[in-house]
């Protein structure tokens, strides 16, 4: 029975949240291991499906293929943390070595430094425990799904324990004939001083993958002006069979690797005073050729063809970080203080390039991206909209481009958080963080096709302070009502050279984008033992100096964005047999001032106020909801099911391209065969709904 119940944590694993979750004046969703297991999640994006208000972006528009998260409407691509330390480098993260996942909504800079205004995701690693256990899973499924994991913990002595997690995964995608991928991972860890005042945990994480990436579908792309307006589509993805694949088996691939080593040392001085130091080195690589069926050239509507645009990346990211924190409690008169102070230092370096092909990736007949025809004469760079052939004999020479960029980012940060308990009914949570942020971009001179391009460089140095404050009133011991305020800062080059917000000469002198957020919420732990957690919040976030095109055509901090929303959450057990986990988010995300738009030509620009002012944020559904529930029918049988709803999601700020709303249903049943063996069946997407999740 205990294995099927949701055990909600009392406190966050992040020591910067100095109060119990019930008394933390922020929206925090904890995805426990049981929910990950019951839903059959096999990746971070799978697990985050259970949290409304988070959407995923595809690898286009400068974004790398990987976990491109948007939280409450804001890009949070760089706001993923492992045990409180920023996890840099674009990748698709696994969950085999995770204990739980924590999603903190709202401005994240006070906790993580340069960050999104929408929130962050903290991954909590599995570490050695003080008892022996062995857990293993073997999974088989449709679309050649095969997966195996093992989690082994052994106590070596009174003070030493080791833990090993391993994973192997191989699968295709149902209904997408060519899409496939395999990956494997290993995560050993050892803890010394398990029962001592001084404890040291050494851990290593390795994961690598190889796949044929999914290229998706093009849009019925609207023309905004000119003679072809009458040929406009409706702005949704094209209506073709689900197995349609525009990529090229002979060209496309994606290989990733992640290696992370961590030394985590803690010393307990007694009286709840704990000193912690974490040192981590990580290296990630993300190499791919990913065909984008490009709809922006007009081919889809004019000729019924697509240009097989080759989005490519060759990226290596190295990151070294050290974090020291001191946390404890003390009394100031009658006021109890629960605090954490800390210092963080990090260095990130990204080497980025792309692939080039001979004789090229344009239409060989036209020398351009126009595709009036398709097939061999175009070099197979143009494909028919209907029934493209992924096995076209595309044979070109591929090499790494000499155009290489090196980006180095150094940060130094100090922070302090304190929860002041004036009385059992009144608490004040405050936090401040100061960051010194430096990033430099260097692209050496290179020669390509006989043309020499001069070296370029850009540098940014920004210092900024971020704040977090929340007043909490407790009507009872099992409830809280709070009002909070926080800020977030996003300097130029926030992505560390591996994403859409890359550092350039044009933006190097700009100030960090500053966001301010207000939240009013309440949390309740109800039913005997507080086994069911309920939460609700109203929030508003304003970015008053967003980077947009100014009247003179330059990029300046003159834009405005605003998000207003409501969030509801539920987690826990209604009865000893019945558990629930889910929530609802409403986001009214408006681009208030999108700057100016060039209605003239490049040679003779004419800038007018953006016609998109007042439009909805891209990648931001107005309404999204998720609910997972399971019921213990007998001590041996559990049944469960889930529903996910996502509203219409726009793909651009013009709001004329979008993915339709959808509702997806899932189901699960498990049977305890014996003390050591349980069988579980998951059926995903029960109604066979065709939907777009990126």
């Amino acid at each position: 029975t205990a294995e099927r119940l949701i055990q909600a944590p009392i406190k966050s694993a992040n020591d910067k949240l100095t109060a119990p979750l019930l008394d933390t004046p922020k929206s925090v969703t904890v995805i426990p291991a049981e929910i990950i297991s019951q839903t059959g999640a096999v990746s971070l994006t799978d697990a985050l499906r259970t949290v409304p208000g988070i959407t995923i972006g595809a690898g286009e528009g400068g974004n790398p293929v990987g976990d491109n998260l948007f939280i409450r409407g804001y890009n949070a691509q760089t706001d993923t943390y492992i045990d409180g330390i920023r996890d840099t480098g674009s990748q698709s993260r696994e969950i085999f070595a995770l204990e739980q996942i924590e999603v903190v909504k709202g401005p994240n800079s006070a906790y993580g430094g340069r960050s999104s205004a929408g929130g962050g995701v903290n991954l909590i690693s599995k570490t050695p425990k003080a008892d022996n256990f062995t857990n293993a899973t073997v999974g088989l499924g449709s679309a050649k799904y095969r997966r195996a994991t093992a989690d082994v913990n052994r106590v070596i002595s009174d003070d030493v324990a080791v833990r090993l997690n391993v994973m192997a995964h191989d699968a295709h995608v149902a209904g997408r004939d060519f899409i496939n991928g395999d990956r494997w991972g290993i995560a050993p860890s050892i803890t010394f001083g398990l029962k001592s005042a001084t404890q040291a945990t050494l851990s290593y994480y390795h994961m690598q993958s190889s796949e044929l990436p999914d290229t998706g579908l093009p849009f019925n792309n609207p023309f905004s002006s000119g003679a072809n307006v009458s040929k406009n589509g409706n702005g949704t993805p094209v209506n073709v069979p689900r197995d349609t694949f525009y990529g090229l088996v002979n060209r496309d691939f994606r290989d990733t690797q992640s290696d992370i080593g961590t030394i985590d040392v803690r010393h307990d001085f007694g009286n709840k005073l704990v000193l912690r130091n974490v040192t981590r080195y990580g290296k990630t690589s993300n190499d791919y050729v990913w065909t984008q069926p490009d709809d922006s050239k007009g081919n889809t509507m004019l000729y019924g063809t697509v240009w097989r645009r080759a989005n490519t990346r060759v990226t290596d990211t190295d990151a070294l970080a050290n974090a020291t924190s001191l946390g404890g409690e003390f009394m100031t008169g009658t006021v109890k203080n629960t605090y954490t102070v800390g210092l963080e230092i990090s260095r990130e370096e990204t080497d980025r390039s792309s692939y080039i092909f001979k004789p090229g990736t344009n239409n060989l007949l036209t020398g351009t991206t126009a595709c009036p025809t398709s097939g061999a004469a175009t070099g197979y760079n143009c494909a028919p909209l209907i029934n493209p052939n992924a096995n076209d004999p595309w044979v070109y020479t591929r090499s790494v481009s000499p155009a290489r960029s090196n980006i180095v980012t150094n940060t130094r940060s100090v922070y302090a958080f304190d929860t002041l308990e004036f009385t059992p009914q009144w608490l004040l949570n405050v936090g401040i963080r100061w960051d010194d942020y430096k990033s430099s971009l260097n692209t050496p001179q290179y020669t390509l096709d006989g043309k020499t391009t001069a070296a370029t460089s850009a540098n940014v140095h920004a210092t900024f302070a971020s704040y977090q404050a929340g007043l909490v009133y407790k009507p009872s011991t099992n409830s809280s009502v709070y009002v909070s305020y926080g800020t977030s800062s996003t300097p130029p080059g926030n992505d560390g050279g591996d994403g859409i917000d890359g550092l350039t000469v044009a933006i190097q002198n700009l100030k960090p984008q500053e966001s301010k957020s207000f939240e009013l919420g309440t949390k309740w732990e109800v039913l005997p033992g507080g086994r069911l957690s309920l939460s609700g919040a109203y929030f508003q976030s304003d970015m008053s100096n967003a980077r947009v095109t100014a009247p003179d055509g330059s990029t300046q901090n003159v834009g405005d964005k605003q998000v207003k929303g409501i969030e509801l959450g539920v987690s826990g057990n209604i009865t000893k047999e019945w558990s629930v986990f889910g929530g609802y988010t409403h986001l009214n995300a408006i681009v208030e001032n999108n700057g100016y738009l060039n209605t003239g030509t490049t040679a003779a620009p004419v800038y007018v106020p953006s016609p998109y002012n007042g439009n909805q944020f891209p990648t931001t559904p107005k309404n999204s909801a998720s609910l997972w529930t399971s019921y213990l029918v007998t001590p041996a049988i559990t049944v469960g099911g889930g529903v996910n709803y996502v509203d219409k999601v726009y793909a651009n700020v013009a709001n004329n391209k979008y993915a339709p709303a959808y509702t997806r249903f899932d189901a699960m049943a498990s049977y305890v065969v014996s003390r050591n063996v349980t069988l579980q069946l998951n059926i995903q997407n029960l109604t066979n709904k065709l939907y777009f999740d990126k």
Side-chain angles (χ1 to χ4, degrees):
T1 303
E3 293 179 356
R4 295 285 101 175
L5 296 181
I6 298 174
Q7 305 296 329
I10 296 175
K11 286 203 67 174
S12 166
N14 185 350
D15 57 13
K16 295 172 185 174
L17 300 180
T18 51
L21 289 173
L22 176 65
D23 303 329
T24 297
K26 287 185 75 71
S27 295
V28 181
T29 301
V30 179
I31 309 173
E34 182 55 30
I35 289 297
I36 295 173
S37 173
Q38 286 192 23
T39 57
V42 296
S43 68
L44 176 61
T45 52
D46 277 350
L48 291 177
R49 190 189 307 278
T50 62
V51 183
I54 298 180
T55 50
I56 313 297
E60 57 181 325
N63 269 314
V65 176
D67 297 334
N68 299 316
L69 307 181
F70 291 80
I71 304 177
R72 285 187 177 177
Y74 290 98
N75 189 326
Q77 176 193 325
T78 64
D79 292 300
T80 301
Y81 304 81
I82 298 177
D83 303 317
I85 305 295
R86 187 185 300 274
D87 186 33
T88 56
S90 57
Q91 51 194 290
S92 297
R93 295 169 179 86
E94 252 282 352
I95 48 87
F96 77 97
L98 297 184
E99 205 75 71
Q100 64 186 37
I101 300 168
E102 298 185 359
V103 181
V104 179
K105 304 284 188 66
N108 202 49
S109 282
Y111 300 102
R114 70 180 204 267
S115 290
S116 158
V121 177
N122 191 21
L123 312 179
I124 310 304
S125 302
K126 293 178 178 177
T127 55
K129 306 298 181 185
D131 56 340
N132 293 326
F133 58 82
T134 300
N135 295 318
T137 69
V138 176
L140 297 173
S142 58
K144 301 180 181 180
Y145 172 88
R146 294 173 294 172
R147 181 178 174 88
T149 67
D151 181 2
V152 181
N153 193 93
R154 290 292 181 268
V155 177
I156 306 302
S157 67
D158 285 346
D159 256 9
V160 180
V162 297
R163 191 168 183 177
L164 176 66
N165 281 271
V166 295
M167 173 276 302
H169 178 103
D170 187 7
H172 288 223
V173 176
R176 303 282 284 157
D177 295 342
F178 297 96
I179 311 303
N180 68 88
D182 61 77
R183 57 185 184 264
W184 69 274
I186 183 170
S189 57
I190 182 170
T191 295
F192 300 95
L194 197 63
K195 300 178 182 179
S196 303
T198 302
Q199 184 179 108
T201 298
L202 284 67
S203 61
Y204 171 71
Y205 174 91
H206 172 88
M207 199 276 283
Q208 65 183 68
S209 67
S210 179
E211 64 179 340
L212 181 67
D214 196 343
T215 68
L217 300 179
F219 283 94
N220 285 295
N221 194 31
F223 290 94
S224 58
S225 61
N228 294 313
V229 169
S230 61
K231 297 182 176 66
N232 266 353
N234 61 1
T236 61
V238 295
N239 184 19
V240 295
R242 172 164 160 71
D243 62 357
T244 303
F245 178 65
Y246 295 97
L248 288 158
V249 172
N250 291 341
R251 181 177 77 175
D252 294 4
F253 73 95
R254 181 177 181 232
D255 295 329
T256 75
Q257 182 167 319
S258 178
D259 290 276
I260 302 171
T262 305
I263 302 174
D264 187 340
V265 181
R266 302 169 184 257
H267 180 74
D268 190 340
F269 293 96
N271 297 320
K272 299 184 178 181
L273 182 64
V274 178
L275 176 68
R276 181 189 182 201
N277 180 270
V278 182
T279 301
R280 175 175 295 152
Y281 172 76
K283 183 178 181 66
T284 61
S285 62
N286 190 10
D287 297 350
Y288 59 80
V289 177
W290 177 80
T291 295
Q292 179 182 341
D294 195 305
D295 54 75
S296 65
K297 310 305 178 184
N299 297 303
T300 303
M301 302 305 299
L302 293 176
Y303 313 117
T305 61
V306 296
W307 171 46
R308 283 169 160 163
R309 170 179 166 180
N311 288 0
T312 74
R313 184 171 291 243
V314 186
T315 307
D316 289 292
T317 297
D318 293 81
L320 179 63
N322 182 270
T324 302
S325 62
L326 180 68
E329 296 179 0
F330 67 90
M331 297 295 295
T332 304
T334 60
V335 179
K336 178 183 175 181
N337 296 263
T338 305
Y339 70 92
T340 296
V341 295
L343 167 69
E344 295 179 358
I345 302 172
S346 67
R347 182 183 190 275
E348 305 157 41
E349 181 174 5
T350 296
D351 287 297
R352 188 183 69 229
S353 187
S354 58
Y355 288 107
I356 56 176
F357 303 92
K358 298 292 184 178
T361 58
N362 284 347
N363 182 349
L364 298 186
L365 288 176
T366 64
T368 68
T369 59
C371 291
T373 61
S374 61
T378 71
Y380 297 109
N381 291 323
C382 298
L385 184 65
I386 306 299
N387 198 28
N389 183 6
N391 289 309
D392 280 337
W394 193 94
V395 181
Y396 284 45
T397 301
R398 186 189 79 202
S399 60
V400 177
S401 171
R404 297 171 179 260
S405 296
N406 175 265
I407 304 94
V408 177
T409 302
N410 290 283
T411 59
R412 296 178 297 166
S413 311
V414 292
Y415 63 83
F417 294 92
D418 190 11
T419 296
L420 298 88
E421 183 179 325
F422 300 103
T423 70
Q425 287 75 42
W426 290 97
L427 298 86
L428 178 65
N429 177 277
V430 293
I432 183 172
R433 181 185 178 105
W434 178 85
D435 283 87
D436 181 271
Y437 167 86
K438 296 179 180 178
S439 189
S440 62
L441 163 71
N442 290 286
T443 302
Q445 175 180 299
Y446 65 93
T447 301
L448 179 62
D449 295 332
K451 298 179 180 179
T452 299
T453 301
T456 59
S457 64
N459 297 276
V460 61
H461 182 197
T463 59
F464 49 89
S466 306
Y467 309 91
Q468 179 76 32
L471 181 64
V472 179
Y473 170 67
K474 294 180 64 62
S476 60
T477 56
N478 66 321
S479 64
S480 67
V481 179
Y482 66 88
V483 59
S484 66
Y485 172 82
T487 65
S488 199
S489 298
T490 310
N494 174 61
D495 58 18
D498 196 18
I500 195 172
D501 193 26
L503 181 61
T504 66
V505 174
I507 67 172
Q508 63 177 333
N509 295 319
L510 296 183
K511 296 179 180 179
Q513 297 180 110
E514 301 286 348
S515 301
K516 301 176 182 179
S517 183
F518 162 86
E519 183 168 316
L520 173 65
T522 184
K523 300 178 182 182
W524 294 76
E525 293 179 350
V526 298
L527 302 182
R531 63 176 182 243
L532 185 67
S533 297
L534 305 173
S535 63
Y538 167 81
F539 52 88
Q540 178 176 323
S541 175
D542 292 280
M543 181 181 287
S544 57
N545 63 339
R547 288 196 294 272
V548 296
T549 301
D552 61 359
S554 64
T555 302
Q556 297 182 19
N557 295 105
V558 294
D560 295 292
K561 298 180 178 180
Q562 184 181 82
V563 180
K564 294 180 180 179
I566 296 172
E567 186 164 290
L568 305 174
V570 59
S571 176
N573 304 283
I574 297 175
T575 68
K576 291 182 179 180
E577 298 80 21
W578 185 12
S579 66
V580 292
F581 183 87
Y584 164 77
T585 299
H586 173 79
L587 296 173
N588 186 26
I590 301 300
V591 181
E592 293 188 316
N593 180 0
N594 195 53
Y596 286 74
L597 184 71
N598 182 13
T599 59
T601 64
T602 302
V606 177
Y607 287 96
V608 300
S610 173
Y612 310 136
N613 293 343
N615 282 4
Q616 188 174 331
F617 282 17
T619 68
T620 308
K622 277 195 173 182
N623 299 285
S624 57
S626 173
L627 179 65
W628 179 265
T629 182
S630 62
Y631 190 82
L632 193 71
V633 180
T634 73
I637 299 175
T638 301
V639 296
V643 57
N644 291 92
Y645 172 77
V646 179
D647 215 338
K648 173 195 293 187
V649 178
Y650 288 111
N652 58 359
V653 74
N655 286 183
N656 60 8
K657 296 166 67 173
Y658 66 93
Y662 71 87
T663 303
R664 169 182 145 166
F665 297 93
D666 303 320
M668 178 275 294
S670 67
Y671 175 65
V672 179
V673 178
S674 69
R675 180 173 176 268
N676 295 317
V677 178
T678 297
L679 300 178
Q680 179 170 311
L681 172 68
N682 283 80
I683 304 177
Q684 314 286 21
N685 195 10
L686 274 171
T687 62
N688 200 32
K689 175 68 176 178
L690 177 65
Y691 66 96
F692 298 86
D693 62 357
K694 295 183 179 63

